[in-house]
Structure formats: structure tokens, C-alpha cells
Amino acid sequence: MDINPDNNLIPRVISGLGLCLAFVILTEAVYVSVISNPLGTVWVAGLVTSLPFTVAIIYAGRWLKDSFVPASRYRRVGQWCLGGLATFVLMNISIMITMQPESFLRLVSWGRWATTLGAGVGLLVGVFEARSIEQAVQAERERVRAKEAEAKEDLLSYLNATLRHEVLNTASIIVGHANLALSDYDDKETVTDSVETIKSHTQEMEAVIEDVRLLLQATSNEADTQAIDVTDLLVEEIDTLRATHEEVTIETSLPEHAFAQANKPLRRAFANILWNAVEHNDGESPLIEVAINQETEATIIRIADNGPGIPDSELDTIFEQEIRHDANHGLGLSLTQTLMNSYGGTLEVTETGPDGTEFKLTLPRATEMTTDNRVQTPAD
């Protein structure tokens, strides 16, 4: 939307110019009709050639407001009109000086003719330029919309396949163990095992559905961000990982507080990378290193492991959505990147090889709340 009110005056100025030229023509016509016409057919020829341009200039000023030309382009159209006027007038002035018109009427008519044609031609060029630019902008918008529609269709197809596989398979397992528990309800051990299986698969199904919800929310740019203490979220997830994987050594270098612009689902992003580091590490002593660095405008989280690294054949597609049948259901790193993008952050693999892999998550640094509730910016 145009925010410069002066642009809205330009159509009026253009129409005003046309009306002034029309007034000059009318004055000339009265002079020729009442007093004399020393130019004869020359004056008539000049009138015939300039009159359409005069009408066009008057009409163009009114037409611009309802045309395809956005208000932000009015100034450019006005510049073309003025530039054409100045060019034609200067060219004809040099000719006038050489030829030295013998009458005042010839001088006025010639100047009016040059002004009218110059302004009219410049105006046409400006309008055609605006039209070309608007068509290019519209084509780009259509291309972006088509690309977004294709991306949404791919996402929906991907989620449909994921949900069909994971939810239906999990539901089948739950039904199977429920039937087993019902058929052998006298066997306490069988019933207990079946109930535990039902519980774990139900939790797994809930996790898949929650991941899909987060992915859809992040993809639709609905992330409602706020100042989040990244240290707190990381510590919570690290404690959970330690409780379930005692064999994994986790070394941390974390400040007491580190604020970033995000929301609570950011913990899911950390979980995906941390659990990914455990699942793909088949070494005898799995090690994960977690560090947070705070810069002026960014909060940077680095998560490194000593696993086998990411194969070169997979590195270029590691964040792409694909149907997998592991604990992350193909959503892990894709979801993590989508979440980071929705926060205005980035996710990248900074190192990978036989000695391990390092992920770098960069988030916009947020303001902090001090103990006296005073807002403290990163520059304080």
C-alpha cells in the first residue's frame, strides 16, 4: 500500500497540465477565428496532431486512479510525462532559435505543440512501463502462489502417507494386543504385557499426531513467539534423555539463562536432534556435547555427537520430508527445520564425519526479564 500522500496528487497535476494545454488551444482558436491566421494550414495541422494528445493527458489523470497502475507508480509515470515534455521542448527550442519564428502565434503554437506531444509520449511510455512492471509482479505472485500450493499439496500427501502408515499400523497393534488380553485375561502376565504394549503404542501415536500438529502450525506461519529461556528447555530434555539412556554421556556448556524468540515446541526441536544423536550412535561410549553461545542479535545452540556421521549421499536431503519407519516417523529433522524457520531461525549441519556430527541452531535473541521485572535488551 502506498504511504506517500503526494503520489495521489500526481493524477490531478497531469489532468491540470492537459487542461492548461486545452486552454492554450482554445485561446489560439479564438485568435485565429477573430483576428487572423497567419500560419494557415500549418496551424490546423499542428492542432490536429496535438489535440488527441491533449485529450489523452486530461483523461489519463482521471484514468490513473481507477487503473491497474498502483499509487506507488504514479510518481514514475509523472516523471516520464515531465521528462518527455522537457525533452521535446528543449529539442524544439533549439530549432526555434535557428529558424526564428516570424510571428508570436507561430511561437506559441510551436511551443504548445512540442509541450503536448512531449508530455503525451512521455505519459504513454510511463503507463506502458508501469503495465510491464505490474504484469511482472503479478506473474511473480502467481509463481509464488503456485509454488506454495505445490508445497502444501506435497506436505498434505506426505502427512497423509505418514499418518496412514503410523496411525493405522499402531492401531492394528493396539487392537491385536487388546484381543490377546481379552482372550487370555486369566493369564496375568499376558494381560500385563499386552497393556504395556498398548500403552507404549498409544503414546507413540500421540507423539506422531502432536508432531503433525506442530508441523502444520509451523508451516502455516502461525507460530506465536515470545521470550523463551532456551537453557531451561534444553536442561529439561537433557534430563529426560539421561533418565532413559544411562549409557550416554552428555557434556554441557550452558549459561544460567539464554533467551530466544520462540515458543515451547522448541523443546521438540531439541528432542529430535538429541534423540537422533542417540539412535544413530552405535559406539561403545556415546557422547553428546551441548553448548549455548549468545551473540548481540542471536542465540546459538550447538549439539554435537561422536557417532558415525551422516553419509554424503544423505547430507543434501537430510531435512527433507520422507516416510521412514523409525522412532521419528520421518518427521524429526524436517519438523525441527520447519520449527526453526517459523521462529525466524536456521538449522544447519556444521560438521559431519567419522568423528561425529554437529548441528547448529540459530534463533533470534529475545529481551530478558530481570528479577525486578524490568525489560532488559541484549545490548544492556
Side-chain angles (χ1 to χ4, degrees), residues 259-282:
F259 289 87
Q261 199 68 28
N263 54 25
K264 290 296 180 65
L266 176 62
R267 179 177 172 180
R268 187 71 177 101
F270 296 149
N272 288 336
I273 295 180
L274 289 169
W275 289 81
N276 189 70
V278 174
E279 291 169 6
H280 297 286
N281 193 332
D282 53 3

Side-chain angles (χ1 to χ4, degrees), residues 101-116:
E102 63 278 5
S103 68
F104 180 75
L105 177 63
R106 184 179 183 85
L107 181 64
V108 172
S109 298
W110 197 342
R112 181 259 307 157
W113 178 85
T115 300
T116 303

Side-chain angles (χ1 to χ4, degrees), residues 84-330:
L85 184 156
T87 301
F88 267 67
V89 169
L90 289 175
M91 289 173 57
N92 281 272
I93 285 177
S94 62
I95 298 174
M96 290 180 195
I97 294 173
T98 302
M99 298 184 63
Q100 296 181 351
E102 63 278 5
S103 68
F104 180 75
L105 177 63
R106 184 179 183 85
L107 181 64
V108 172
S109 298
W110 197 342
R112 181 259 307 157
W113 178 85
T115 300
T116 303
L117 263 65
V121 171
L123 183 62
L124 286 174
V125 173
V127 169
F128 279 116
E129 181 193 61
R131 182 180 182 84
S132 298
I133 292 175
E134 189 64 18
Q135 287 177 337
V137 170
Q138 188 63 29
E140 178 63 17
R141 288 173 183 165
E142 292 295 334
R143 187 190 68 80
V144 170
R145 279 197 289 264
K147 189 174 181 180
E148 290 176 348
E150 182 180 358
K152 288 181 180 179
E153 183 177 354
D154 291 343
L155 176 62
L156 291 175
S157 298
Y158 163 69
L159 293 179
N160 177 55
T162 299
L163 289 173
R164 284 176 59 191
H165 176 270
E166 297 299 337
V167 174
L168 291 179
N169 279 8
T170 303
S172 297
I173 294 172
I174 291 173
V175 171
H177 280 272
N179 289 333
L180 180 61
L182 289 173
S183 63
D184 294 333
Y185 60 85
D186 290 333
D187 187 341
K188 184 176 180 180
E189 184 176 350
T190 300
V191 172
T192 300
D193 290 342
S194 295
V195 170
E196 289 179 351
T197 301
I198 290 172
K199 179 181 178 181
S200 64
H201 280 78
T202 300
Q203 292 173 335
E204 183 178 337
M205 186 189 300
E206 290 176 346
V208 173
I209 294 173
E210 176 63 13
D211 280 354
V212 169
R213 185 189 70 80
L214 290 175
L215 185 58
L216 287 172
Q217 184 184 58
T219 304
S220 60
N221 297 320
E222 294 178 357
D224 185 13
T225 63
Q226 57 184 346
I228 291 291
D229 192 338
V230 177
T231 300
D232 284 349
L233 292 184
L234 263 176
V235 169
E236 290 175 5
E237 195 55 42
I238 290 171
D239 288 344
T240 300
L241 187 61
R242 281 174 172 156
T244 54
H245 291 78
E246 297 180 358
E247 76 282 4
V248 178
T249 300
I250 303 177
E251 298 179 355
T252 62
S253 177
L254 309 176
E256 183 178 359
H257 298 289
F259 289 87
Q261 199 68 28
N263 54 25
K264 290 296 180 65
L266 176 62
R267 179 177 172 180
R268 187 71 177 101
F270 296 149
N272 288 336
I273 295 180
L274 289 169
W275 289 81
N276 189 70
V278 174
E279 291 169 6
H280 297 286
N281 193 332
D282 53 3
E284 295 182 359
S285 303
L287 171 66
I288 298 177
E289 298 176 327
V290 182
I292 295 178
N293 296 318
Q294 290 187 287
E295 298 182 353
T296 304
E297 298 182 354
T299 297
I300 299 174
I301 305 96
R302 298 181 185 273
I303 301 177
D305 62 59
N306 64 342
I310 302 170
D312 293 339
S313 59
E314 299 178 11
L315 194 56
D316 291 337
T317 60
I318 189 172
F319 299 122
E320 292 184 2
Q321 298 162 352
E322 60 174 325
I323 306 301
R324 296 202 313 267
H325 310 314
D326 57 19
N328 278 330
H329 319 288

